[in-house]
Amino acid sequence: MRRTAATLLMLHAARALRCAPLRTRRTLALRSTQPRIYDAPTLYDAAFGFRDFEDEVDFLCAAHEKHGNTGGAPSKILELAAGPARHAVEASKRGVDATAIDLSEAMVKCGTQIAKEEDVALDYRVGDVREALPFDKVCSAWLLLGSVGHLLTNDDALQCFQNARKALADGGTLILELPHPRETFRVDGVSEDGWDVPFEGGDLRVRWGAEDDVFDPLTQIRQASVAFEADGTSITDVVPTREYTLQELRLLSKAAGFREEVATYGALDPEFVAADDDELAYRLVVVLTA
């Protein structure tokens, strides 16, 4: 399989997100407020707009059809912590009943506007994935772009997984996308400090992670420094992020009521890249079945 330009940029971004050297010490406190970057949905959407959402939704639907049991491709999906909700919008274009939820009102407004511009239906709600979800009979739920890392404790993750399980139809799937273990454990030593994307006639410089970021080895929480910089605009913040292992996710999903069998892949690629493919795998995709 040949890598496209978009795939190479995604690999570059993935390495930037996870490979910066870390300063290790105990985290003194966890912030309770939402990071500022999520109040800038236009910049956030541009920062990750290079992703091939058509291909990724092809994979998500095919993965559900392969591992789920709701009668074929999903007829109803739920994008969790959806941000601009590009995956849900793409699913809606295909006639799927698309729903989404996010903690940020700004992101919900952005995703709703994108759906309106694309002339598709999207039921997008403001809400916390750690609380009961206002949806049911969902065929496939998606928690993507490493958003599982915002669930900082085991209780947070377990509540999210349990709520997703309750929202799913029997045989439904919960699909997670997060950094590849090679990045989490720094097996891949390539270090990048960011990436550039086109933005309003110029460039948007994205930095996610820096050399002096603090990592707490006991909580597995990294204080990731983030910056969005464009002409006349600059937003900087620190985003606490939990680094999960596959073994932890297996245990949490089993405790939440999902089946013991867990499928893993190395990218949101419709060709089903193996998670242990040294050349093509650059993300960890986990498929859980209810």
Side-chain angles (χ1 to χ4, degrees), residues 8 20 33 117-118 126 138:
L8 290 172
T33 57
E117 292 171 357
E118 296 288 344
V126 176
V138 173

Side-chain angles (χ1 to χ4, degrees), residues 231-245:
D231 290 342
T233 302
S234 179
I235 296 178
T236 60
D237 208 344
V238 175
V239 181
T241 308
R242 165 81 177 270
E243 297 192 348
Y244 282 93
T245 68

Side-chain angles (χ1 to χ4, degrees), residues 196-240:
D196 297 320
V197 292
F199 181 69
E200 296 184 350
D203 287 326
L204 172 65
R205 178 68 175 170
V206 182
R207 176 173 57 81
W208 205 297
E211 290 188 1
D212 61 350
D213 284 348
V214 174
F215 177 69
D216 183 339
L218 299 183
T219 63
Q220 300 171 215
I221 294 173
R222 171 189 183 191
Q223 303 295 328
S225 56
V226 178
F228 293 159
E229 298 176 356
D231 290 342
T233 302
S234 179
I235 296 178
T236 60
D237 208 344
V238 175
V239 181

Side-chain angles (χ1 to χ4, degrees), residues 95-109:
V96 176
D97 183 1
T99 63
I101 192 166
D102 197 283
L103 192 60
S104 166
E105 292 186 13
M107 286 291 186
V108 174
K109 289 179 180 178

Side-chain angles (χ1 to χ4, degrees), residues 2 12 146 150 157 206 266 281:
R2 300 179 60 184
H12 180 92
H150 296 314
V206 182

